[in-house]
Amino acid sequence: MLEEVKCLGIESTAHTFSSSIVRLKSLKEGEILSNVRSIYTPPKGSGIHPTEASRHHTKVAPAIMHSSLKEAKLTMKDIDVIAYSAGPGLGPCLRVGATIARALASYYNKPIVPTNHAIGHIELGCFLTGLLDPLVLLISGGHTLITAYAGKRWRIFGETLDLTIGQILDQFGRELGYSSPAGSIIEELASNSKNYILMPYTVKGNDVSFSGLLTYAKKLLAKGYKVEDICYSLQETAFAMLCETFERAIAFCEKREAMVVGGVAANKRLSSMVNSLADRYKINLKVVPMEYSGDCGAQIAVVGALAFKAGYSVGVEKSLVRRSWRIDDVEIFWRD
Amino acid sequence: MGNITEYILERLIKKGAEADIYEARWYGLRAIAKIRKAKEFRNPELDYEIRRKRTLREAKLIALAKSFGIPTPLIYFVDPNTAEIVMQFIEGIRLRELSLKEKEKALPYYQFVGKNIALLHKNRIIHGDLTTSNFIISQGKPFLIDFGLAFLSDEEEDKAVDLHLIKQILLSQHYDIYEEAFNLLLEGYRSILGEIGSLIRKIKEIERRGRYARVV
Ligand SMILES: Nc1ncnc2c1ncn2[C@@H]1O[C@H](COP(=O)(O)OP(=O)(O)O)[C@@H](O)[C@H]1O
Ligand SMILES: [Mg+2]
């Protein structure tokens, strides 16, 4: 088995097409050599259209692939294994990444690792923060869940019962006429208000439910409330719900480390709220660096390298896509 | 602090998910004082509202559950404005620790747990936070605590979410006994409420909703 693995990772589950190369010995030792991306933006006021997004990915792919190699100062010959995001995600988008991975793998005769996108957020987070056994809050457009590793799986301690945090921010953003992802626009609008309007707050055990909150925010908008005030209150309420369930899970599972990953981890208000939890439980809590919070090739490359080092890869005929793929369905070969 | 009201705080024994838990004395009785402290991360207005409401609910519904024969602590004192409850100290081990350390001993209690959940549901009480750290095994019985998220409802959806919560914790923290424990729990539940096929389907439906979410 190779001591150090060079993995090319391709991400294409939703808005983002990205390619990255990492050099990895273990979760504790390695380097991200490149991480290049291009993000598809839908027309104003609309959400992502899968076919349009996949066209964007196809168009940018050659240039992105090329610069990820160039930045890493490597050629395809130097790559040990190719990983791609096999799911969960939008069918047409997933197929772009998978097709490129298959083509490169058969042309250069390389093994392939089909990778779970959510596991990618988590393991990349562990690699970057140095936390090896954290309780994880994963918050993005596709996921809102709390997970910890045990017995060969990332196990789910809490989750959303309906919409994800990314979905409510995007959907409310669309009501305001912005295209998704709209998280950063809402964050900015929210930062201009301090006027809190009481909104539906729904926590069930370690789970949250966001649908009532979104409906309420839309109603206030229709009634003519100030946009900044609604954004502020929506954020305060939704983030407080996330913090509370995270806190519940921290108290329950008694881990010493906690980590926040996923696109919404880039929100400064969220990260300051979450940090205030750390003191109460004397837990080592880290938020993934902003550069790597959103979807990127590095999350795929890290998992690809770990899986390959642990002896796992497939041939071209097994490199499929899975639009729905729960994280607790994924066997984690590389952890004890 | 202890002398404004009629109880004396002795020592902090636990930082729970929501509250600080103190060992206390209530007219000479060994007691627990559960104090929901303000949370910095929440807007103060929202925070106060949540703590007040949950304190009230907890006290009310613990007592109501007790009246239906479900083992819960006696409530000695409540102040919703300061978000504190003083209640009977339940001496014992939590189902969480028993399930982690002595699986064989823990398993039989799951049937009892299921029975108690069914008794709650039969009487329209939804607990809202069913987890193994909220059952204390004492005098051979699982005492149910922590009713801050409890509410009254007849909806199948709410009962299904309650069962989903305990299932989720069994699958994550207690995965090695999940199958046996959850089956025993359902057996106990059925012994009170009979056929529950449609409830089980509802649980599956709930679990499908959140996990396959995708940006559209
Ligand atoms: N009446 C009680 N008797 C003994 N221990 C208790 C009692 N109430 C709470 N505890 C202990 O404190 C912990 C947290 O209390 P709980 O009511 O569940 O608060 P939280 O809402 O913060 O989880 C429990 O898991 C248990 O260990
Ligand atoms: Mg509790």
PDB file of all heavy atoms in Angstrom, chain A residues 5-10 22 24 80-84 111-116 119-120 123 297-313 334:
ATOM      1  N   VAL A   5      -0.917   9.100  -0.712  1.00  0.00           N
ATOM      2  CA  VAL A   5      -1.792   8.995  -1.881  1.00  0.00           C
ATOM      3  C   VAL A   5      -2.026  10.378  -2.480  1.00  0.00           C
ATOM      4  O   VAL A   5      -2.328  11.332  -1.763  1.00  0.00           O
ATOM      5  CB  VAL A   5      -3.145   8.364  -1.468  1.00  0.00           C
ATOM      6  CG1 VAL A   5      -4.137   8.452  -2.610  1.00  0.00           C
ATOM      7  CG2 VAL A   5      -2.948   6.920  -1.034  1.00  0.00           C
ATOM      8  N   LYS A   6      -1.896  10.460  -3.799  1.00  0.00           N
ATOM      9  CA  LYS A   6      -2.275  11.695  -4.488  1.00  0.00           C
ATOM     10  C   LYS A   6      -3.624  11.451  -5.152  1.00  0.00           C
ATOM     11  O   LYS A   6      -3.759  10.591  -6.021  1.00  0.00           O
ATOM     12  CB  LYS A   6      -1.241  12.061  -5.548  1.00  0.00           C
ATOM     13  CG  LYS A   6       0.060  12.559  -4.962  1.00  0.00           C
ATOM     14  CD  LYS A   6       0.898  13.209  -6.051  1.00  0.00           C
ATOM     15  CE  LYS A   6       2.362  13.264  -5.629  1.00  0.00           C
ATOM     16  NZ  LYS A   6       3.007  11.916  -5.571  1.00  0.00           N
ATOM     17  N   CYS A   7      -4.605  12.209  -4.710  1.00  0.00           N
ATOM     18  CA  CYS A   7      -5.965  11.975  -5.205  1.00  0.00           C
ATOM     19  C   CYS A   7      -6.496  13.212  -5.918  1.00  0.00           C
ATOM     20  O   CYS A   7      -6.357  14.334  -5.427  1.00  0.00           O
ATOM     21  CB  CYS A   7      -6.877  11.595  -4.043  1.00  0.00           C
ATOM     22  SG  CYS A   7      -8.590  11.307  -4.553  1.00  0.00           S
ATOM     23  N   LEU A   8      -7.116  12.978  -7.065  1.00  0.00           N
ATOM     24  CA  LEU A   8      -7.831  14.038  -7.778  1.00  0.00           C
ATOM     25  C   LEU A   8      -9.304  13.903  -7.418  1.00  0.00           C
ATOM     26  O   LEU A   8      -9.884  12.820  -7.582  1.00  0.00           O
ATOM     27  CB  LEU A   8      -7.633  13.858  -9.289  1.00  0.00           C
ATOM     28  CG  LEU A   8      -8.557  14.663 -10.204  1.00  0.00           C
ATOM     29  CD1 LEU A   8      -8.182  16.142 -10.191  1.00  0.00           C
ATOM     30  CD2 LEU A   8      -8.508  14.132 -11.635  1.00  0.00           C
ATOM     31  N   GLY A   9      -9.909  14.975  -6.898  1.00  0.00           N
ATOM     32  CA  GLY A   9     -11.316  14.920  -6.492  1.00  0.00           C
ATOM     33  C   GLY A   9     -12.167  15.856  -7.325  1.00  0.00           C
ATOM     34  O   GLY A   9     -11.799  17.013  -7.534  1.00  0.00           O
ATOM     35  N   ILE A  10     -13.296  15.321  -7.802  1.00  0.00           N
ATOM     36  CA  ILE A  10     -14.204  16.139  -8.621  1.00  0.00           C
ATOM     37  C   ILE A  10     -15.541  16.286  -7.911  1.00  0.00           C
ATOM     38  O   ILE A  10     -16.173  15.301  -7.536  1.00  0.00           O
ATOM     39  CB  ILE A  10     -14.444  15.480  -9.997  1.00  0.00           C
ATOM     40  CG1 ILE A  10     -13.097  15.233 -10.695  1.00  0.00           C
ATOM     41  CG2 ILE A  10     -15.352  16.348 -10.863  1.00  0.00           C
ATOM     42  CD1 ILE A  10     -13.215  14.307 -11.898  1.00  0.00           C
ATOM     43  N   VAL A  22      -5.190  16.487  -3.660  1.00  0.00           N
ATOM     44  CA  VAL A  22      -4.592  16.443  -2.322  1.00  0.00           C
ATOM     45  C   VAL A  22      -3.525  15.357  -2.282  1.00  0.00           C
ATOM     46  O   VAL A  22      -3.548  14.398  -3.053  1.00  0.00           O
ATOM     47  CB  VAL A  22      -5.625  16.181  -1.203  1.00  0.00           C
ATOM     48  CG1 VAL A  22      -6.732  17.212  -1.213  1.00  0.00           C
ATOM     49  CG2 VAL A  22      -6.214  14.780  -1.306  1.00  0.00           C
ATOM     50  N   LEU A  24      -2.016  12.953   0.638  1.00  0.00           N
ATOM     51  CA  LEU A  24      -2.439  12.603   1.992  1.00  0.00           C
ATOM     52  C   LEU A  24      -1.757  11.341   2.502  1.00  0.00           C
ATOM     53  O   LEU A  24      -1.690  10.334   1.795  1.00  0.00           O
ATOM     54  CB  LEU A  24      -3.955  12.372   1.974  1.00  0.00           C
ATOM     55  CG  LEU A  24      -4.737  12.787   3.211  1.00  0.00           C
ATOM     56  CD1 LEU A  24      -4.842  14.300   3.289  1.00  0.00           C
ATOM     57  CD2 LEU A  24      -6.138  12.186   3.175  1.00  0.00           C
ATOM     58  N   ASP A  80      -2.695   9.030  -8.208  1.00  0.00           N
ATOM     59  CA  ASP A  80      -2.878   7.624  -7.852  1.00  0.00           C
ATOM     60  C   ASP A  80      -4.316   7.167  -7.999  1.00  0.00           C
ATOM     61  O   ASP A  80      -4.580   6.009  -8.310  1.00  0.00           O
ATOM     62  CB  ASP A  80      -2.456   7.382  -6.388  1.00  0.00           C
ATOM     63  CG  ASP A  80      -1.002   7.768  -6.161  1.00  0.00           C
ATOM     64  OD1 ASP A  80      -0.151   7.306  -6.950  1.00  0.00           O
ATOM     65  OD2 ASP A  80      -0.721   8.534  -5.213  1.00  0.00           O
ATOM     66  N   VAL A  81      -5.252   8.074  -7.707  1.00  0.00           N
ATOM     67  CA  VAL A  81      -6.654   7.664  -7.704  1.00  0.00           C
ATOM     68  C   VAL A  81      -7.554   8.871  -8.004  1.00  0.00           C
ATOM     69  O   VAL A  81      -7.200  10.009  -7.679  1.00  0.00           O
ATOM     70  CB  VAL A  81      -7.024   7.007  -6.351  1.00  0.00           C
ATOM     71  CG1 VAL A  81      -6.748   7.946  -5.189  1.00  0.00           C
ATOM     72  CG2 VAL A  81      -8.474   6.530  -6.311  1.00  0.00           C
ATOM     73  N   ILE A  82      -8.696   8.585  -8.653  1.00  0.00           N
ATOM     74  CA  ILE A  82      -9.642   9.653  -8.987  1.00  0.00           C
ATOM     75  C   ILE A  82     -10.915   9.462  -8.173  1.00  0.00           C
ATOM     76  O   ILE A  82     -11.486   8.366  -8.152  1.00  0.00           O
ATOM     77  CB  ILE A  82      -9.987   9.611 -10.489  1.00  0.00           C
ATOM     78  CG1 ILE A  82      -8.704   9.842 -11.306  1.00  0.00           C
ATOM     79  CG2 ILE A  82     -11.045  10.649 -10.839  1.00  0.00           C
ATOM     80  CD1 ILE A  82      -8.883   9.575 -12.785  1.00  0.00           C
ATOM     81  N   ALA A  83     -11.342  10.519  -7.472  1.00  0.00           N
ATOM     82  CA  ALA A  83     -12.591  10.446  -6.705  1.00  0.00           C
ATOM     83  C   ALA A  83     -13.585  11.434  -7.281  1.00  0.00           C
ATOM     84  O   ALA A  83     -13.202  12.488  -7.784  1.00  0.00           O
ATOM     85  CB  ALA A  83     -12.317  10.764  -5.237  1.00  0.00           C
ATOM     86  N   TYR A  84     -14.859  11.085  -7.239  1.00  0.00           N
ATOM     87  CA  TYR A  84     -15.890  12.020  -7.694  1.00  0.00           C
ATOM     88  C   TYR A  84     -17.064  11.947  -6.732  1.00  0.00           C
ATOM     89  O   TYR A  84     -17.241  10.953  -6.013  1.00  0.00           O
ATOM     90  CB  TYR A  84     -16.340  11.693  -9.126  1.00  0.00           C
ATOM     91  CG  TYR A  84     -17.104  10.392  -9.223  1.00  0.00           C
ATOM     92  CD1 TYR A  84     -18.503  10.387  -9.237  1.00  0.00           C
ATOM     93  CD2 TYR A  84     -16.441   9.171  -9.281  1.00  0.00           C
ATOM     94  CE1 TYR A  84     -19.209   9.191  -9.294  1.00  0.00           C
ATOM     95  CE2 TYR A  84     -17.137   7.979  -9.339  1.00  0.00           C
ATOM     96  CZ  TYR A  84     -18.521   7.993  -9.341  1.00  0.00           C
ATOM     97  OH  TYR A  84     -19.210   6.812  -9.396  1.00  0.00           O
ATOM     98  N   PRO A 111      -7.606   3.851 -10.719  1.00  0.00           N
ATOM     99  CA  PRO A 111      -8.758   3.409  -9.921  1.00  0.00           C
ATOM    100  C   PRO A 111      -9.672   4.589  -9.565  1.00  0.00           C
ATOM    101  O   PRO A 111      -9.227   5.743  -9.585  1.00  0.00           O
ATOM    102  CB  PRO A 111      -8.121   2.826  -8.656  1.00  0.00           C
ATOM    103  CG  PRO A 111      -6.775   3.455  -8.571  1.00  0.00           C
ATOM    104  CD  PRO A 111      -6.347   3.818  -9.956  1.00  0.00           C
ATOM    105  N   ILE A 112     -10.924   4.256  -9.240  1.00  0.00           N
ATOM    106  CA  ILE A 112     -11.923   5.291  -8.943  1.00  0.00           C
ATOM    107  C   ILE A 112     -12.500   5.085  -7.545  1.00  0.00           C
ATOM    108  O   ILE A 112     -12.716   3.954  -7.113  1.00  0.00           O
ATOM    109  CB  ILE A 112     -13.103   5.214  -9.935  1.00  0.00           C
ATOM    110  CG1 ILE A 112     -12.602   5.324 -11.371  1.00  0.00           C
ATOM    111  CG2 ILE A 112     -14.130   6.311  -9.671  1.00  0.00           C
ATOM    112  CD1 ILE A 112     -13.715   5.402 -12.392  1.00  0.00           C
ATOM    113  N   VAL A 113     -12.791   6.202  -6.852  1.00  0.00           N
ATOM    114  CA  VAL A 113     -13.552   6.119  -5.599  1.00  0.00           C
ATOM    115  C   VAL A 113     -14.810   6.988  -5.710  1.00  0.00           C
ATOM    116  O   VAL A 113     -14.718   8.214  -5.748  1.00  0.00           O
ATOM    117  CB  VAL A 113     -12.724   6.582  -4.377  1.00  0.00           C
ATOM    118  CG1 VAL A 113     -13.591   6.549  -3.114  1.00  0.00           C
ATOM    119  CG2 VAL A 113     -11.493   5.721  -4.184  1.00  0.00           C
ATOM    120  N   PRO A 114     -15.997   6.362  -5.800  1.00  0.00           N
ATOM    121  CA  PRO A 114     -17.245   7.138  -5.745  1.00  0.00           C
ATOM    122  C   PRO A 114     -17.445   7.620  -4.308  1.00  0.00           C
ATOM    123  O   PRO A 114     -17.401   6.818  -3.385  1.00  0.00           O
ATOM    124  CB  PRO A 114     -18.334   6.115  -6.109  1.00  0.00           C
ATOM    125  CG  PRO A 114     -17.602   4.891  -6.570  1.00  0.00           C
ATOM    126  CD  PRO A 114     -16.258   4.919  -5.930  1.00  0.00           C
ATOM    127  N   THR A 115     -17.628   8.922  -4.141  1.00  0.00           N
ATOM    128  CA  THR A 115     -17.575   9.503  -2.804  1.00  0.00           C
ATOM    129  C   THR A 115     -18.898  10.140  -2.390  1.00  0.00           C
ATOM    130  O   THR A 115     -19.565  10.760  -3.210  1.00  0.00           O
ATOM    131  CB  THR A 115     -16.457  10.574  -2.788  1.00  0.00           C
ATOM    132  OG1 THR A 115     -15.217   9.911  -3.015  1.00  0.00           O
ATOM    133  CG2 THR A 115     -16.390  11.309  -1.472  1.00  0.00           C
ATOM    134  N   ASN A 116     -19.239   9.975  -1.126  1.00  0.00           N
ATOM    135  CA  ASN A 116     -20.427  10.633  -0.581  1.00  0.00           C
ATOM    136  C   ASN A 116     -20.088  12.082  -0.240  1.00  0.00           C
ATOM    137  O   ASN A 116     -19.177  12.355   0.544  1.00  0.00           O
ATOM    138  CB  ASN A 116     -20.923   9.870   0.658  1.00  0.00           C
ATOM    139  CG  ASN A 116     -22.161  10.502   1.273  1.00  0.00           C
ATOM    140  OD1 ASN A 116     -22.106  11.587   1.832  1.00  0.00           O
ATOM    141  ND2 ASN A 116     -23.285   9.807   1.155  1.00  0.00           N
ATOM    142  N   ILE A 119     -20.145  13.130   3.553  1.00  0.00           N
ATOM    143  CA  ILE A 119     -18.972  12.585   4.240  1.00  0.00           C
ATOM    144  C   ILE A 119     -17.751  13.444   3.887  1.00  0.00           C
ATOM    145  O   ILE A 119     -16.871  13.682   4.716  1.00  0.00           O
ATOM    146  CB  ILE A 119     -18.726  11.114   3.825  1.00  0.00           C
ATOM    147  CG1 ILE A 119     -19.927  10.228   4.175  1.00  0.00           C
ATOM    148  CG2 ILE A 119     -17.433  10.572   4.438  1.00  0.00           C
ATOM    149  CD1 ILE A 119     -20.110   9.938   5.632  1.00  0.00           C
ATOM    150  N   GLY A 120     -17.725  13.939   2.653  1.00  0.00           N
ATOM    151  CA  GLY A 120     -16.646  14.826   2.211  1.00  0.00           C
ATOM    152  C   GLY A 120     -16.556  16.087   3.057  1.00  0.00           C
ATOM    153  O   GLY A 120     -15.475  16.461   3.524  1.00  0.00           O
ATOM    154  N   GLU A 123     -15.147  14.874   6.600  1.00  0.00           N
ATOM    155  CA  GLU A 123     -13.747  14.438   6.688  1.00  0.00           C
ATOM    156  C   GLU A 123     -12.786  15.562   6.306  1.00  0.00           C
ATOM    157  O   GLU A 123     -11.711  15.688   6.893  1.00  0.00           O
ATOM    158  CB  GLU A 123     -13.505  13.190   5.827  1.00  0.00           C
ATOM    159  CG  GLU A 123     -14.315  11.963   6.272  1.00  0.00           C
ATOM    160  CD  GLU A 123     -13.858  11.343   7.608  1.00  0.00           C
ATOM    161  OE1 GLU A 123     -12.998  11.926   8.301  1.00  0.00           O
ATOM    162  OE2 GLU A 123     -14.397  10.265   7.959  1.00  0.00           O
ATOM    163  N   GLY A 297     -13.905  20.571  -4.493  1.00  0.00           N
ATOM    164  CA  GLY A 297     -13.262  19.319  -4.859  1.00  0.00           C
ATOM    165  C   GLY A 297     -12.440  18.708  -3.727  1.00  0.00           C
ATOM    166  O   GLY A 297     -12.320  17.488  -3.623  1.00  0.00           O
ATOM    167  N   ALA A 298     -11.901  19.572  -2.847  1.00  0.00           N
ATOM    168  CA  ALA A 298     -11.035  19.067  -1.771  1.00  0.00           C
ATOM    169  C   ALA A 298     -11.772  18.075  -0.872  1.00  0.00           C
ATOM    170  O   ALA A 298     -11.185  17.113  -0.381  1.00  0.00           O
ATOM    171  CB  ALA A 298     -10.485  20.234  -0.950  1.00  0.00           C
ATOM    172  N   GLN A 299     -13.076  18.302  -0.648  1.00  0.00           N
ATOM    173  CA  GLN A 299     -13.821  17.391   0.234  1.00  0.00           C
ATOM    174  C   GLN A 299     -13.920  16.005  -0.391  1.00  0.00           C
ATOM    175  O   GLN A 299     -13.962  14.995   0.313  1.00  0.00           O
ATOM    176  CB  GLN A 299     -15.217  17.965   0.552  1.00  0.00           C
ATOM    177  CG  GLN A 299     -16.229  17.902  -0.591  1.00  0.00           C
ATOM    178  CD  GLN A 299     -17.466  18.757  -0.321  1.00  0.00           C
ATOM    179  OE1 GLN A 299     -17.416  19.983  -0.430  1.00  0.00           O
ATOM    180  NE2 GLN A 299     -18.563  18.124   0.034  1.00  0.00           N
ATOM    181  N   ILE A 300     -13.950  15.972  -1.715  1.00  0.00           N
ATOM    182  CA  ILE A 300     -14.035  14.693  -2.420  1.00  0.00           C
ATOM    183  C   ILE A 300     -12.645  14.041  -2.464  1.00  0.00           C
ATOM    184  O   ILE A 300     -12.499  12.839  -2.241  1.00  0.00           O
ATOM    185  CB  ILE A 300     -14.575  14.914  -3.853  1.00  0.00           C
ATOM    186  CG1 ILE A 300     -15.906  15.687  -3.820  1.00  0.00           C
ATOM    187  CG2 ILE A 300     -14.723  13.591  -4.596  1.00  0.00           C
ATOM    188  CD1 ILE A 300     -16.991  15.057  -2.964  1.00  0.00           C
ATOM    189  N   ALA A 301     -11.632  14.882  -2.710  1.00  0.00           N
ATOM    190  CA  ALA A 301     -10.272  14.351  -2.814  1.00  0.00           C
ATOM    191  C   ALA A 301      -9.787  13.757  -1.491  1.00  0.00           C
ATOM    192  O   ALA A 301      -9.136  12.707  -1.474  1.00  0.00           O
ATOM    193  CB  ALA A 301      -9.319  15.462  -3.282  1.00  0.00           C
ATOM    194  N   VAL A 302     -10.125  14.412  -0.384  1.00  0.00           N
ATOM    195  CA  VAL A 302      -9.688  13.903   0.927  1.00  0.00           C
ATOM    196  C   VAL A 302     -10.300  12.525   1.195  1.00  0.00           C
ATOM    197  O   VAL A 302      -9.611  11.577   1.580  1.00  0.00           O
ATOM    198  CB  VAL A 302     -10.045  14.908   2.064  1.00  0.00           C
ATOM    199  CG1 VAL A 302      -9.979  14.235   3.427  1.00  0.00           C
ATOM    200  CG2 VAL A 302      -9.105  16.103   2.019  1.00  0.00           C
ATOM    201  N   VAL A 303     -11.604  12.404   0.959  1.00  0.00           N
ATOM    202  CA  VAL A 303     -12.256  11.105   1.186  1.00  0.00           C
ATOM    203  C   VAL A 303     -11.711  10.055   0.214  1.00  0.00           C
ATOM    204  O   VAL A 303     -11.450   8.906   0.605  1.00  0.00           O
ATOM    205  CB  VAL A 303     -13.790  11.213   1.058  1.00  0.00           C
ATOM    206  CG1 VAL A 303     -14.440   9.834   1.102  1.00  0.00           C
ATOM    207  CG2 VAL A 303     -14.345  12.079   2.175  1.00  0.00           C
ATOM    208  N   GLY A 304     -11.513  10.466  -1.034  1.00  0.00           N
ATOM    209  CA  GLY A 304     -10.962   9.537  -2.024  1.00  0.00           C
ATOM    210  C   GLY A 304      -9.618   8.986  -1.579  1.00  0.00           C
ATOM    211  O   GLY A 304      -9.356   7.781  -1.650  1.00  0.00           O
ATOM    212  N   ALA A 305      -8.765   9.894  -1.087  1.00  0.00           N
ATOM    213  CA  ALA A 305      -7.436   9.469  -0.645  1.00  0.00           C
ATOM    214  C   ALA A 305      -7.526   8.538   0.565  1.00  0.00           C
ATOM    215  O   ALA A 305      -6.849   7.514   0.625  1.00  0.00           O
ATOM    216  CB  ALA A 305      -6.588  10.703  -0.306  1.00  0.00           C
ATOM    217  N   LEU A 306      -8.391   8.886   1.526  1.00  0.00           N
ATOM    218  CA  LEU A 306      -8.539   8.053   2.729  1.00  0.00           C
ATOM    219  C   LEU A 306      -9.059   6.663   2.376  1.00  0.00           C
ATOM    220  O   LEU A 306      -8.548   5.651   2.866  1.00  0.00           O
ATOM    221  CB  LEU A 306      -9.499   8.731   3.722  1.00  0.00           C
ATOM    222  CG  LEU A 306      -8.998  10.011   4.401  1.00  0.00           C
ATOM    223  CD1 LEU A 306     -10.150  10.698   5.139  1.00  0.00           C
ATOM    224  CD2 LEU A 306      -7.863   9.709   5.367  1.00  0.00           C
ATOM    225  N   ALA A 307     -10.080   6.631   1.515  1.00  0.00           N
ATOM    226  CA  ALA A 307     -10.678   5.347   1.136  1.00  0.00           C
ATOM    227  C   ALA A 307      -9.660   4.492   0.384  1.00  0.00           C
ATOM    228  O   ALA A 307      -9.519   3.292   0.635  1.00  0.00           O
ATOM    229  CB  ALA A 307     -11.925   5.576   0.295  1.00  0.00           C
ATOM    230  N   PHE A 308      -8.941   5.117  -0.533  1.00  0.00           N
ATOM    231  CA  PHE A 308      -7.963   4.384  -1.335  1.00  0.00           C
ATOM    232  C   PHE A 308      -6.841   3.837  -0.458  1.00  0.00           C
ATOM    233  O   PHE A 308      -6.404   2.694  -0.610  1.00  0.00           O
ATOM    234  CB  PHE A 308      -7.403   5.297  -2.433  1.00  0.00           C
ATOM    235  CG  PHE A 308      -6.530   4.568  -3.416  1.00  0.00           C
ATOM    236  CD1 PHE A 308      -7.056   3.559  -4.217  1.00  0.00           C
ATOM    237  CD2 PHE A 308      -5.176   4.891  -3.538  1.00  0.00           C
ATOM    238  CE1 PHE A 308      -6.247   2.868  -5.134  1.00  0.00           C
ATOM    239  CE2 PHE A 308      -4.361   4.211  -4.445  1.00  0.00           C
ATOM    240  CZ  PHE A 308      -4.901   3.202  -5.240  1.00  0.00           C
ATOM    241  N   LYS A 309      -6.393   4.669   0.481  1.00  0.00           N
ATOM    242  CA  LYS A 309      -5.349   4.210   1.412  1.00  0.00           C
ATOM    243  C   LYS A 309      -5.813   3.012   2.227  1.00  0.00           C
ATOM    244  O   LYS A 309      -5.032   2.132   2.575  1.00  0.00           O
ATOM    245  CB  LYS A 309      -4.946   5.341   2.369  1.00  0.00           C
ATOM    246  CG  LYS A 309      -3.721   6.103   1.926  1.00  0.00           C
ATOM    247  CD  LYS A 309      -2.934   6.644   3.104  1.00  0.00           C
ATOM    248  CE  LYS A 309      -2.221   5.537   3.837  1.00  0.00           C
ATOM    249  NZ  LYS A 309      -0.803   5.645   3.971  1.00  0.00           N
ATOM    250  N   ALA A 310      -7.116   2.998   2.511  1.00  0.00           N
ATOM    251  CA  ALA A 310      -7.674   1.886   3.295  1.00  0.00           C
ATOM    252  C   ALA A 310      -7.972   0.679   2.406  1.00  0.00           C
ATOM    253  O   ALA A 310      -8.559  -0.301   2.850  1.00  0.00           O
ATOM    254  CB  ALA A 310      -8.924   2.337   4.028  1.00  0.00           C
ATOM    255  N   GLY A 311      -7.603   0.784   1.112  1.00  0.00           N
ATOM    256  CA  GLY A 311      -7.737  -0.367   0.230  1.00  0.00           C
ATOM    257  C   GLY A 311      -9.014  -0.401  -0.583  1.00  0.00           C
ATOM    258  O   GLY A 311      -9.347  -1.407  -1.206  1.00  0.00           O
ATOM    259  N   TYR A 312      -9.754   0.715  -0.615  1.00  0.00           N
ATOM    260  CA  TYR A 312     -11.015   0.707  -1.345  1.00  0.00           C
ATOM    261  C   TYR A 312     -10.937   1.500  -2.647  1.00  0.00           C
ATOM    262  O   TYR A 312     -10.494   2.642  -2.674  1.00  0.00           O
ATOM    263  CB  TYR A 312     -12.139   1.302  -0.481  1.00  0.00           C
ATOM    264  CG  TYR A 312     -13.457   1.405  -1.207  1.00  0.00           C
ATOM    265  CD1 TYR A 312     -14.266   0.283  -1.341  1.00  0.00           C
ATOM    266  CD2 TYR A 312     -13.865   2.607  -1.777  1.00  0.00           C
ATOM    267  CE1 TYR A 312     -15.468   0.355  -2.026  1.00  0.00           C
ATOM    268  CE2 TYR A 312     -15.074   2.687  -2.465  1.00  0.00           C
ATOM    269  CZ  TYR A 312     -15.865   1.561  -2.582  1.00  0.00           C
ATOM    270  OH  TYR A 312     -17.049   1.632  -3.261  1.00  0.00           O
ATOM    271  N   SER A 313     -11.363   0.876  -3.743  1.00  0.00           N
ATOM    272  CA  SER A 313     -11.586   1.604  -5.003  1.00  0.00           C
ATOM    273  C   SER A 313     -12.411   0.696  -5.891  1.00  0.00           C
ATOM    274  O   SER A 313     -12.574  -0.485  -5.603  1.00  0.00           O
ATOM    275  CB  SER A 313     -10.257   1.963  -5.676  1.00  0.00           C
ATOM    276  OG  SER A 313      -9.609   0.784  -6.116  1.00  0.00           O
ATOM    277  N   TRP A 334     -11.884   3.831   6.617  1.00  0.00           N
ATOM    278  CA  TRP A 334     -10.600   4.402   7.031  1.00  0.00           C
ATOM    279  C   TRP A 334     -10.553   4.776   8.502  1.00  0.00           C
ATOM    280  O   TRP A 334      -9.568   5.285   8.973  1.00  0.00           O
ATOM    281  CB  TRP A 334     -10.276   5.631   6.168  1.00  0.00           C
ATOM    282  CG  TRP A 334     -11.365   6.655   6.161  1.00  0.00           C
ATOM    283  CD1 TRP A 334     -11.513   7.682   7.034  1.00  0.00           C
ATOM    284  CD2 TRP A 334     -12.460   6.716   5.261  1.00  0.00           C
ATOM    285  NE1 TRP A 334     -12.644   8.387   6.729  1.00  0.00           N
ATOM    286  CE2 TRP A 334     -13.239   7.828   5.640  1.00  0.00           C
ATOM    287  CE3 TRP A 334     -12.872   5.962   4.146  1.00  0.00           C
ATOM    288  CZ2 TRP A 334     -14.408   8.196   4.961  1.00  0.00           C
ATOM    289  CZ3 TRP A 334     -14.027   6.322   3.480  1.00  0.00           C
ATOM    290  CH2 TRP A 334     -14.780   7.420   3.877  1.00  0.00           C
TER     291      TRP A 334
END
